[in-house]
Every structure is written in structure tokens, then in C-alpha cells.
Amino acid sequence: MPVSARMPKGVMNVVDKMPNFCPIIAYNGTLVLDEMGRPLNSQFFDAAEAVKLMK
């Protein structure tokens, strides 16, 4: 199962070489996609929340 901090597009070259498809885990686990690229799970927060965390 490919897991990466990269965006899904950056993981696709590895996924294309795998014999059986499995979910793609991207952005350090905040996004999980199925074989059609549909989100199975996403955990994002908005920019205002990011700014609060950086203070």
C-alpha cells in the first residue's frame, strides 16, 4: 500500500507498477483514495486553522 507525504499525482508512478490496486494514502495520511481516485477519507483544515497553529 503506497503511503507518502506527496500529493496523489506524485504517488501514481509507483501505483501504476503494482499488480493489485490498493488505496493510496497521501499527504501523510490526511487523504486516502480508492482505485478510482475517490476520497475514502480526508482530514484537512482551513488556512485560518493553520495560521492559529503556527502562532
Side-chain angles (χ1 to χ4, degrees):
M1 178 178 304
V3 179
S4 178
R6 297 174 186 232
M7 67 175 94
K9 184 177 179 181
V11 182
M12 292 310 288
N13 62 340
V14 173
V15 172
D16 290 341
K17 296 175 184 171
M18 297 177 75
N20 296 322
F21 190 86
C22 54
I24 298 169
I25 300 173
Y27 300 126
N28 286 329
T30 62
L31 179 63
V32 181
L33 302 174
D34 70 6
E35 68 276 1
M36 300 302 291
R38 296 177 296 226
L40 296 173
N41 185 36
S42 63
Q43 299 176 3
F44 292 95
F45 51 88
D46 62 18
E49 185 70 21
V51 169
K52 286 191 322 190
L53 291 171
M54 292 174 30
K55 289 184 179 181

